[in-house]
Amino acid sequence: MKTEGMIKAIEHGDLDERLLDIYVDAAKLAYQKERYVKVIKKFESHYGAGEAELFSAPGRSEVGGNHTDHQHGEVLAASINLDTIGVVRATDDHQIRIISDDYDEVVISLDDVEAKEEEKETTKALIKGVIAGFAEGGHNVGGFCAYATSDVLIGAGLSSSAAFETLIGTILSGLYNEMSVSAIEIAIIGQYAENVYFGKPCGLMDQMACSVGNLVHIDFENPKNPEVEKLNFNMSKHGYSLCITDTKGSHADLTEDYAAIPREMGEIAAHFGVSVLRDVPEETVREYLPTLRQTYGDRAVLR
């Protein structure tokens, strides 16, 4: 659809049903319509009016099981109605160009997607990692230009980076693979981008919850092929609501602190001759608590 047609469709209410399906809360409909029109106009100002497509990827919150994914455990997670959206146009210049919320444009050549040490912890690294993951998985990749915006709070533990990775993966799936790349594979590629290119040793829960969506139970006993179960559960009908607090925090310069979590968990697992804590019975850990505390410290035991 042409960008002019997108704006008219949104303003005339033609997309209200789709927006309500995505954002659930009717009270937020006016805000979302204004938000979408604004981002389309931003796209036009940078890349011109004409044919384009809209993509969205939500943030997520764990409900239970945080930091158990990298220990091959189980988690309960939910996507939320704060998301990253992009207005996108396929191009034939073999480049990916993205502007996000008035930051400088990121330009990537599809001929140069190798991981580079100097690019770690940057947006460019995440994009290149997703491109490389698609190519290595045998999927098509191609150029596009995009303007993206996000209302996934940064520093509030809602996985703004995983939402961005999912957005890039969904764009590549939609533009060049007829939307055939599964949500699970997009999540695995997003984790690859974050681990190898960005340099953050995250588990797979964040990307899986953002990509699969809804309320999901995930069993990571086999992390290369996790069991994912969508749960048909309406929180509000049972008197529950997921509340999110904007702490105004920042995850900048916290990669090493984050990396300490799986490392310390791994130390405890290794004490028992295994690589992940899933393989250590709880009663065994309790039996050895005094030794573990003396050897590894309280924090590692509390992990």
Tab-separated table of all heavy atoms in Angstrom, residues 87 90-91 136 155 164 267:
chain	number	residue	atom	x	y	z
A	87	VAL	N	8.003	1.328	9.397
A	87	VAL	CA	7.488	1.527	8.044
A	87	VAL	C	8.633	1.173	7.114
A	87	VAL	O	9.736	1.711	7.250
A	87	VAL	CB	7.031	2.977	7.817
A	87	VAL	CG1	6.367	3.122	6.450
A	87	VAL	CG2	6.084	3.433	8.917
A	90	ALA	N	11.018	-2.251	0.451
A	90	ALA	CA	12.071	-3.073	-0.156
A	90	ALA	C	12.828	-2.248	-1.188
A	90	ALA	O	12.247	-1.425	-1.900
A	90	ALA	CB	11.465	-4.307	-0.801
A	91	THR	N	14.139	-2.452	-1.270
A	91	THR	CA	14.978	-1.744	-2.238
A	91	THR	C	15.875	-2.752	-2.964
A	91	THR	O	16.050	-3.879	-2.511
A	91	THR	CB	15.866	-0.692	-1.541
A	91	THR	OG1	16.733	-1.353	-0.601
A	91	THR	CG2	15.023	0.329	-0.799
A	136	GLU	N	22.579	-17.724	6.948
A	136	GLU	CA	23.102	-19.022	7.368
A	136	GLU	C	21.998	-20.068	7.464
A	136	GLU	O	22.253	-21.272	7.302
A	136	GLU	CB	23.823	-18.883	8.704
A	136	GLU	CG	25.124	-18.108	8.601
A	136	GLU	CD	25.729	-17.792	9.947
A	136	GLU	OE1	25.294	-18.413	10.958
A	136	GLU	OE2	26.629	-16.937	10.022
A	155	GLY	N	15.366	0.000	29.777
A	155	GLY	CA	15.820	-0.100	31.158
A	155	GLY	C	14.775	-0.620	32.114
A	155	GLY	O	15.000	-0.673	33.321
A	164	PHE	N	13.461	-5.340	18.865
A	164	PHE	CA	14.086	-4.807	17.652
A	164	PHE	C	14.599	-5.936	16.763
A	164	PHE	O	14.414	-5.921	15.545
A	164	PHE	CB	15.231	-3.858	18.023
A	164	PHE	CG	15.873	-3.192	16.841
A	164	PHE	CD1	15.236	-2.149	16.191
A	164	PHE	CD2	17.105	-3.611	16.379
A	164	PHE	CE1	15.820	-1.522	15.092
A	164	PHE	CE2	17.704	-2.997	15.287
A	164	PHE	CZ	17.059	-1.950	14.644
A	267	GLU	N	28.847	-22.061	37.533
A	267	GLU	CA	29.800	-22.514	38.544
A	267	GLU	C	29.165	-23.512	39.500
A	267	GLU	O	29.781	-24.527	39.872
A	267	GLU	CB	30.341	-21.310	39.328
A	267	GLU	CG	31.268	-20.415	38.525
A	267	GLU	CD	31.658	-19.163	39.281
A	267	GLU	OE1	31.075	-18.917	40.361
A	267	GLU	OE2	32.529	-18.416	38.800
